[in-house]
Amino acid sequence: MAAPVNIVVGSHVWVEDPVEAWIDGEVSRINGLDVHVRTTKGKTVVANISKVFPQDTEAPPGGVDDMTKLSYLHEPGVLQNLAARYELNEIYTYTGNILIAINPFQRLPHLYDTHMMEQYKGAGFGELSPHVFAVADVAYRAMINEGKSNSILVSGESGAGKTETTKMLMRYLAHLGGRSGVEGRTVEQQVLESNPVLEAFGNAKTVRNNNSSRFGKFVEIQFDKSGRISGAAVRTYLLERSRVCQISTPERNYHCFYLLCAAPPEEIDRYKLRNPRSFHYLNQSDCYELDGVNDGHEYLATRRAMDIVGISEQEQDAIFRVVAAILHLGNINFAKGEEIDSSVIKDEQSRFHLNMTAELLKCDAQSLEDALIKRVMVTPEEIITRTLDPVNAVGSRDALAKTIYSRLFDWLVDKINNSIGQDPNSKSIIGVLDIYGFESFKSNSFEQFCINYTNEKLQQHFNQHVFKMEQEEYTKEEINWSYIEFVDNQDVLDLIEKKPGGIISLLDEACMFPKSTHETFAQKLYQTFKNNKRFIKPKLSRTDFTISHYAGEVNYQANLFLDKNKDYVVAEHQALLTASKCPFVVSLFPPLPEETSKSSKFSSIGSRFKLQLQSLMETLSATEPHYIRCVKPNNVLKPAIFENANIIQQLRCGGVLEAIRISCAGYPTRRTFYEFLHRFGVLAPEVLEGNYDDKTACIMILDKKGLKGYQVGKTKVFLRAGQMAELDARRAEVLGNAARTIQRQIRTYIARKEFISLRKAAIMMQSYWRGKMACKLFEQLRREAAALKIQKNLRRYVSRKSYLTVRASAITLQTGLRAMTARNEFRFRKRTKAAIIIQAHWRCYQAYSYYKSLQKAVIVTQCGWRCRVARRELRKLKMASRETGALKEAKDKLEKRVEELTWRLQLEKRLRVDLEEAKAQETAKLQETLHAMQLQIEEANAMVIREREAARKAIEEAPPVIKETPVIVQDTEKVDSLTAEVERLKASLIAQTQSAEEAKQASAAAQAQNEELTRKLGDAEKKVDQLQDSVQRLEEKLSNLESENQVLRQQALAISPTAKALSARPKTPILQRTPENGNILNGEAKKSLDSSLALSTPREPESEEKPQKSLNEKQQENQDLLIKCISQDLGFSGGRPIAACLIYKSLLQWRSFEVERTSVFDRIIQTISAAIEVQDNNDALSYWLCNSATLLLLLQSTLKASGAASLTPQRRRSTSASLFGRMSQGLRASPQSAGFSFLNGRVLGGLDDLRQVEAKYPALLFKQQLTAFLEKIYGMIRDNLKKEISPLLGLCIQAPRTSRASLVKGRSQANAVAQQALIAHWQSIVKSLSNYLKIMRANHVPPFLVRKVFTQIFSFINVQLFNSLLLRRECCSFSNGEFVKTGLAELENWCHEATEEYAGSAWDELKHIRQAVGFLVIHQKPKKTLKEITNDLCPVLSIQQLYRISTMYWDDKYGTHSVSSEVISSMRVLMTEDSNNAVSSSFLLDDDSSIPFTVDDISKTMRQIEVSDIDPPPLIRENSGFSFLLPRAE
């Protein structure tokens, strides 16, 4: 991971930080080898250029799923990528084929359910998001395809989640290769259930983990040739025995002790147990319970797991008896005895625990006491027995406890292996290694030494595997890699395991000498390895030593190395437990062979562990390894906390950074040609514009930039360490120049814009100032004008005042003179007026006299003229009289019309009395108005009559002509007034007519509303009738089920010996029906049976058997002919399947539904089964789907279980039917005519009508079998269509890649072909849907079933597309959303063309993918709130699904961002609440493969079938036995 030299000012880099390990910033200054970096937190850091690493500013915000895709494969890049993914709950990340799993410290059930397993089943590695299932699937597929065993190595420190990861691996392998074992138990159940057993006895709470495995485990899952699990084996390594006796706060002892203390009360009393606080082995720590764990429930779960793995009840009791004995053994305390260096039992409490231990182990209490406090030494001369002091006695007690527990754990492992069973013929295994990770504490002892030795060994294997993977990658790409170096850790392994000078050899040598101590052992190490660079001697300690491991230096304390390395059983303990009366305890301590007991060969834990490790490495070397590195993100064991320093340390311990160093030694950066050109095409635009292939274009770009040492493979460009940074620097330079050009233009534009704005501002300011100056000048001028005006007005006032004084004096003089003149004038005018008055009176008298004379002459002239005019007016008056008659006729017509309108209103009122109650007052008002109008008309008529009479009388009585003139004028005025009155009445009539029309319209609206209410009432009544029918149908179904249960019980009784004895009686004719109701009561049947038995005699005529035999043969022939006929494709008649109608009519005619035993049903079922054997023949399947549904509909409406007559109403039969029934009953009454009724089809009328018959057990069983076949055929058609479109769906989910030409010029022509290819896949799906629809319509499959098929198919499409979208990040892009949306439009068009009759609600089943795609293609996602997204855009999607889409979304078209960080945070809070509320958080959808209908649904949706006019096929038309099928003559 050498730092690149292409660091310039302005580069974004990573620098080391003591708190956060690495922190990002920007280079501000470079002084030689010192780089000044301004971090994002504002502080400036100075670092050496060799410790500064470039940052990829174009890395996706959500990280990459495979870290080999990182542009810069170095430590800070890896850390940043893991942190970005962990923030989005993406806990899995690949590094090549290595999986890194970060413990989320919260439940994520959606990642591990069955849906997720199905998604990863058979998927290519890297095709879906990183997952532990993908690693297991690769191992399984490699084993199946190559026949080679595989292994999965899970490592990590305590609390990193190794055990949970191992569980998930085994669950997935069991899901892939599960197979039922013997005695109802399955191998996968036993393998998975062995985990709780081993966890209970081998796991404990530590400082870092509540369920830490204190042993190493390698599970070998064996597979047979077909890939099914055939056996399994579990190997364990180095159980931490010291934990049994020594623990400290806040740790706990092994779980089993606490589980037993929380057992049911009867078991606690049996073992004399109490609270865990009362036992010495448990109360050394203050921690007794785990958060969220109920030890009582876990105890029962452990017992169930023991049942699964095959541990019997007796063995379980013995196991927990031994566990209880260990607890009691720890409470035995010792005191000093009377003799020197002796000890005795301390008190009665200790004596009680001693006796309980002996009782539980079923050994002698005194022998147990002697074994604890005495030792026997055998010498050549004599046998010496010596006592132990209390300290050594306690050591002896603890040694016994550790030995018993170790043997118990080994027995459990052997029992699990024996119970699961080994497959000796298995040649393929998948091993899952759950091993402890590298440990480095403040105090490290022998356990940490062995653990770290194991990890060194595994790291060597890991390094070799990574190097091998690198070689395979280079070989695959055909590049030269011979000069790549590989760093090995063999020197550390030699330090530990080399013979004879290794640490383990020296430790075994020290253990064999009694006088050796830890000081002498440490001094031996110092002398032997003083020159070894991996071995360091601390300065301030005499017994400690330090080893430089691959993950760092670890300081070991050698104080307890000698004691913990010894592996032997005290002879007294061995003899005590071998003599136990408990077989289980004896089996834990088998007697040692004689030669073994005599030999003094030393045995040590270190040597044994070394041998086990060698065996493990041999097994791993024989398998293809796969690696999972588990990482613990924080030490507080809480979610959403990512501690960088802690993660880096674990990555070092897990060898991940070592693998990165190996990659950096070769070609750490590798890019496909497309990715390389997409990123670095700007370095040589002329190359992209030229007509070169991708490989040549990449080489031209690299050569143009002068890079050396790179390699170009078949599909990728391989760059050496630092070359990516150099290219990025060149790219940054090109982009920087382009940016500077853009900046220059932008700055020019901004400067000119600023200049224009300043100039405009200056002009405006000048204009304003000039305006102010003009205002001041104007004010000055205005003041001067005002002063002049004031002076003028003042001068005018003074002049006017003097003028008014002079004028007033002049007026006074003039007034006096004028008054005198006026008085004179008045006197003159008064005299003149008096003279004029006298003259006027005289002249008036003369004129009046002359006028009188003229008046007399004029009157005489007028009289003559007026006489002439009067006669002319008389003639006009007579004509007016005649016009008055015409007015009267018009008035009469109006009266008739008014009467007619009144009659109509009254008629409408009578017709709508019930509807116009609310308008009664308005109608009354209308009537009153009409009445008033009638009165006015009558008054007008009377007035006209009176006026006419008055006019007539006036004409008759008229004196001279002079008096007639005013009368004529008065009559003319009255006629005008009458005409006006008539016009007013007409207007009133029109208004009333309009009111009547409005009332009529209101009445019509009320009538329409009444009709709507009546229609709704009718609909409600129909619904009530339907509900009543449903209730009745359910009652019938209940009665049928009860009857079927009764029949089944009778059938079960018939199998019993009593029934067999009854069936052995001689057969007698059975009278089953009466003419009245077609059947008889059970009591009557018994009476008739008893009477027939009483009347039967021993000698029955033999001639009766011959007709019966021939009759049975004839019936058998008819059945054969029917089976032969229906095995052919009979086709359809008027949309009705002929085969179903033929079967139904034949079975009804033969009364097969009413017999107790017949084979015709089985033969029909066998015929159908044979016809659908070819599962790919959709035509045949559709044909029999239609026949099965039709026949089932006929049976549903015809059959009823016997005994249901009292519960369901029967149809009344006509008299003629009863007559024919009596006739047929008479024929059936004699044994000779039994079974002959089917030949006489013309006698049995009415069979064509559907009628209910009482079905026996065979008929009911036939109906159930037919239902099962209907569901089977439906499922086969649906699954065939799923298989046909599944490969196409995989091609439809991802959009084609953008062409290289569009990278430069933005062309879209190259996308047209790819887009057309994608649409072709969608069109292939539509074509498949249309073909299936065509086949089912051609075979007259009921539309209800067709709708169900396509509804489930569209649901399947929705599930597949939606799950693929959520599991593949490359699919959650903007352009991909557009492509999928285009394809969904094709499906929508198909639904419209198929019509709702056949498509139904299929389009609605795509709601998840439609809303998800709609979310992908909307713009301005950051502006959307969570409420808008959940309520408006995607109301169907759950929070988990929205969170997944939002975090995986990337815009490859416009470069826009996903939703805002606030929305993401809100989603995460809601997800946390859901997980706390135990709500399912699965974001994947489940494909519903159930049968979505029942028989009742079919009977409700299918129309009734008329079977009477079905024409039989030619094969049986000529047969007399099927004459009942022919249409009868009327």
Side-chain angles (χ1 to χ4, degrees), residues 1-7 14 48-54 74 721-722 725:
M1 291 191 297
V5 296
N6 295 280
I7 300 294
W14 294 99
N48 189 280
I49 194 169
S50 62
K51 295 183 179 180
V52 175
F53 296 96
H74 46 53

Side-chain angles (χ1 to χ4, degrees), residues 9-67:
V9 175
S11 299
H12 292 270
V13 295
W14 294 99
V15 293
E16 286 187 307
D17 184 78
V19 179
E20 298 187 7
W22 295 94
I23 188 169
D24 59 329
E26 185 178 350
V27 176
S28 59
R29 188 157 52 95
I30 298 178
N31 292 333
L33 297 179
D34 293 333
V35 179
H36 295 256
V37 180
R38 186 183 301 106
T39 65
T40 54
K41 293 189 175 181
K43 63 180 182 179
T44 301
V45 178
V46 180
N48 189 280
I49 194 169
S50 62
K51 295 183 179 180
V52 175
F53 296 96
Q55 179 186 3
D56 186 9
T57 57
E58 298 183 7
V64 295
D65 53 5
D66 188 349
M67 289 194 288

Side-chain angles (χ1 to χ4, degrees), residues 24 39 60 137 176 232 312 339 560 681 712 819 831 912 927 936 964 1053 1165:
D24 59 329
T39 65
D137 193 80
L176 290 179
S312 64
E339 300 179 2
L560 299 176
V712 178
R831 286 193 297 270
R912 299 190 299 269
Q927 289 177 351
Q936 291 177 2
E964 291 180 357
L1053 290 174
I1165 291 297

Side-chain angles (χ1 to χ4, degrees), residues 367-383:
S367 300
L368 175 61
E369 181 180 353
D370 293 341
L372 292 177
I373 64 177
K374 294 181 180 180
R375 286 290 178 271
V376 177
M377 300 179 63
V378 180
T379 64
E381 294 81 10
E382 59 181 342
I383 298 177

